Amino acid sequence: MDNLRNRSAPNMAPEEVDIICRVEPGTPMNAAFKRFWLVAGLSADHPEPDSTPKRSRMLSEDYILFRDSEGRMGCLRERCCHRGASLCLGRVEDGGIRCIFHGWKYAVDGTILDMPNAGGYQFKKIYKQPAFPVVEKGGMIWVYLGAVEEQPPLPNFRWLDFAPEQCVVTPVVYESNYTLAIDGGADSSHFAILHRDSCITPHAAADSNIYDKLLADVAPRFDTYETVFGQYSAAIRTVPGPQGEDTQSCRSSAFIVPATVLVAGTTADKGLFAFFMPVDTHRTIAYIGNFDVDWSKLEDGQNMVDFMGMGKANLDHLGFSREAADRTERANRANNWYQDRAAMKAGRFTGLAPFVPEDVIIAESIGMISSTDDHLIPADQVIVRIRRILLNMARDVDAGLAPVGLREPIDYSQILCQEKIIEEAKAWPDVMIPPQFLQQGTITS
Ligand code: FES
Ligand SMILES: [Fe+2]
């Protein structure tokens, strides 16, 4: 028993849980996230110049995104710098957004273009609406909310340059802390259990070969390595080889600070990424991207999105889309997230809407990491170490140090995951981790 206890991981201390979970202004994690480019929304939310502005809540603060008459995207604080009216109510016209209270008008960089109630006073040269750098890439709107002098380059992930039909990004709203949403993406140990029905239900978009392997061994061994961007990890399963012999199937995945997960098996050409944006301490929007260089039309990606349970009608029904998230009636604790007990009696394992919604529901059912009640085992090591990386990231920023991910230039296009049959479990980093990403002396396997 003692021996087993030594193999379990300790829970985090309450103050450590606080540091990684709380993201409101004034917290170390708020400052840490603001050192990185973050996803604020989708380009498709702003289909044309002067289209309707949209609110984006990030890290417990409200911003507005709008596309001006020239098609430029702006990210401003929602609160008008005059007396605080919401710019989400503003008129988007003639190269800027105009507050409807007293008519002050702002350009995408926050410059005041017009101040109709100021008479002859030139306050517009003195004041400025807080504005933030924006880049549109991969169908997403990336913003940088930190100090100008610390702005890093936008990560050069390969899929950001894919054609729109090769990469589909779906926002999914979790009523949970972002750390639990990350867990769902990074924790391969739940896959063949929580998502069992999704794995065994045939679907045109699904590669049944992969799911057969995942189901063949529901107790994979895990191995993790700290890297200059976060963590590489591997799930190693014993699966039958061509002659029915035991072989070791190794699937690697990556966690990239502050909040990106590449799920196991994601390669250069095909796979799944997710950026888990903390809306506030209790809500997260996951921007989940399915990509494949072989897709030639939008339906290809849409088939995969549907297979993963992220079709628009399904997310609206559950209340997991951005549009439906604030609806009073949604899948929630009070209605047991619409769990279908009759379907469970009839053979379905979870009785929940399949696949990604299962991850959302589990995260929501947990709500927040517990510093006292969790009982961790070796199968939890991937998420335990991600939490440590997040903790160190926040502490470093708090101490005025460069955090992991910002200490040296990183070629994000080379962060690739793989699936391979390996000879020996310990050999996987040699074939799966580009050496430039390994940190000296920080191997944590
Ligand atoms: S509050 Fe916006 S112009 Fe006065
Ligand atoms: Fe999952």
Side-chain angles (χ1 to χ4, degrees):
M1 193 64 169
D2 279 350
N3 188 29
L4 276 181
R5 283 224 179 273
N6 289 340
R7 294 179 61 79
S8 66
N11 281 324
M12 297 185 112
E15 58 275 16
E16 294 176 326
V17 170
D18 232 42
I19 289 173
I20 67 166
C21 290
R22 287 183 50 194
V23 296
E24 59 269 27
T27 60
M29 195 54 87
N30 181 283
F33 265 80
K34 285 179 176 170
R35 295 290 303 270
F36 296 88
W37 285 89
L38 308 173
V39 182
L42 299 183
S43 291
D45 298 336
H46 307 268
E48 62 205 11
D50 292 339
S51 49
T52 306
K54 293 269 169 27
R55 175 180 299 109
S56 179
R57 186 166 172 79
M58 295 176 278
L59 305 170
S60 291
E61 291 179 290
D62 290 314
Y63 303 84
I64 56 142
L65 303 169
F66 73 103
R67 197 180 294 288
D68 76 3
S69 312
E70 269 75 61
R72 290 172 298 212
M73 182 60 63
C75 175
L76 306 179
R77 249 202 223 294
E78 178 179 355
R79 191 181 192 285
C80 174
C81 74
H82 177 216
R83 277 167 40 198
S86 169
L87 291 180
C88 216
L89 299 169
R91 299 177 58 87
V92 187
E93 57 191 14
D94 302 329
I97 185 165
R98 187 185 295 279
C99 177
I100 58 171
F101 197 3
H102 309 94
W104 292 19
K105 182 178 162 189
Y106 306 106
V108 288
D109 67 356
T111 304
I112 302 180
L113 302 170
D114 193 16
M115 208 182 242
N117 66 339
Y121 295 106
Q122 288 303 303
F123 284 112
K124 65 182 180 186
K125 298 207 169 84
I126 302 170
Y127 297 149
K128 197 167 184 244
Q129 180 68 12
F132 305 89
V134 182
V135 175
E136 291 184 80
K137 243 176 183 261
M140 289 168 279
I141 299 169
W142 296 80
V143 301
Y144 174 71
L145 303 175
V148 180
E149 62 278 9
E150 292 175 330
Q151 182 178 324
L154 187 76
N156 61 329
F157 292 118
R158 292 169 64 100
W159 60 83
L160 295 183
D161 293 318
F162 280 20
E165 64 277 12
Q166 296 171 325
C167 181
V168 188
V169 181
T170 310
V172 181
V173 180
Y174 293 57
E175 292 298 329
S176 82
N177 187 255
Y178 77 99
T179 54
L180 297 166
I182 287 175
D183 287 359
D187 165 37
S188 181
S189 147
H190 76 275
F191 199 94
I193 301 171
L194 179 70
H195 302 308
R196 198 187 68 173
D197 293 330
S198 311
C199 295
I200 57 181
T201 307
H203 191 285
D207 181 347
S208 62
N209 182 33
I210 290 178
Y211 296 122
D212 288 348
K213 281 188 203 151
L214 293 173
L215 290 169
D217 182 355
V218 296
R221 280 75 62 211
F222 293 96
D223 201 20
T224 57
Y225 280 73
E226 244 177 270
T227 62
V228 294
F229 58 75
Q231 174 176 277
Y232 255 121
S233 59
I236 300 156
R237 293 176 171 84
T238 305
V239 303
Q243 263 74 53
E245 77 285 13
D246 279 355
T247 63
Q248 301 299 306
S249 163
C250 180
R251 306 184 85 215
S252 65
S253 53
F255 169 71
I256 303 156
V257 289
T260 299
V261 171
L262 306 190
V263 304
T266 293
T267 67
D269 296 335
K270 174 179 176 159
L272 193 146
F273 68 88
F275 184 92
F276 295 95
M277 181 67 219
V279 174
D280 55 35
T281 297
H282 302 286
R283 179 182 280 193
T284 306
I285 298 181
Y287 292 90
I288 300 177
N290 292 97
F291 62 93
D292 190 329
V293 287
D294 288 336
W295 289 340
S296 56
K297 48 190 190 311
L298 288 173
E299 290 83 353
D300 296 335
Q302 200 52 51
N303 282 339
M304 181 54 91
V305 167
D306 290 342
F307 167 61
M308 296 190 70
M310 299 190 293
K312 182 81 174 81
N314 198 35
L315 293 186
D316 282 348
H317 166 68
L318 294 163
F320 298 169
S321 64
R322 291 175 300 170
E323 296 74 16
D326 289 321
R327 210 176 58 202
T328 321
E329 178 52 28
R330 79 188 282 278
N332 62 34
R333 187 177 300 278
N335 54 35
N336 250 359
W337 291 274
Y338 303 155
Q339 190 178 41
D340 184 345
R341 289 274 163 188
M344 292 167 80
K345 283 257 190 265
R348 303 287 298 179
F349 183 67
T350 66
L352 301 173
F355 231 154
V356 170
E358 288 168 330
D359 291 317
V360 179
I361 291 165
I362 289 297
E364 293 192 359
S365 77
I366 302 168
M368 189 64 80
I369 295 176
S370 168
S371 60
T372 54
D373 295 342
D374 292 350
H375 297 81
L376 303 167
I377 61 172
D380 300 310
Q381 69 165 286
V382 174
I383 60 107
V384 165
R385 285 179 170 149
I386 287 174
R387 291 173 187 178
R388 282 282 151 210
I389 289 167
L390 287 169
L391 181 66
N392 291 337
M393 177 182 88
R395 282 184 167 155
D396 282 347
V397 171
D398 204 39
L401 303 170
V404 62
L406 297 176
R407 295 182 191 133
E408 57 198 275
I410 294 173
D411 184 355
Y412 291 85
S413 69
Q414 297 306 309
I415 308 176
L416 307 173
C417 305
Q418 300 181 50
E419 186 191 5
K420 277 194 190 330
I421 298 294
I422 52 169
E423 294 298 316
E424 219 181 288
K426 281 292 169 191
W428 77 272
D430 298 338
V431 284
M432 290 194 174
I433 305 182
Q436 71 268 27
F437 292 139
L438 283 175
Q439 293 201 58
Q440 218 58 42
T442 54
I443 290 174
T444 54
S445 67

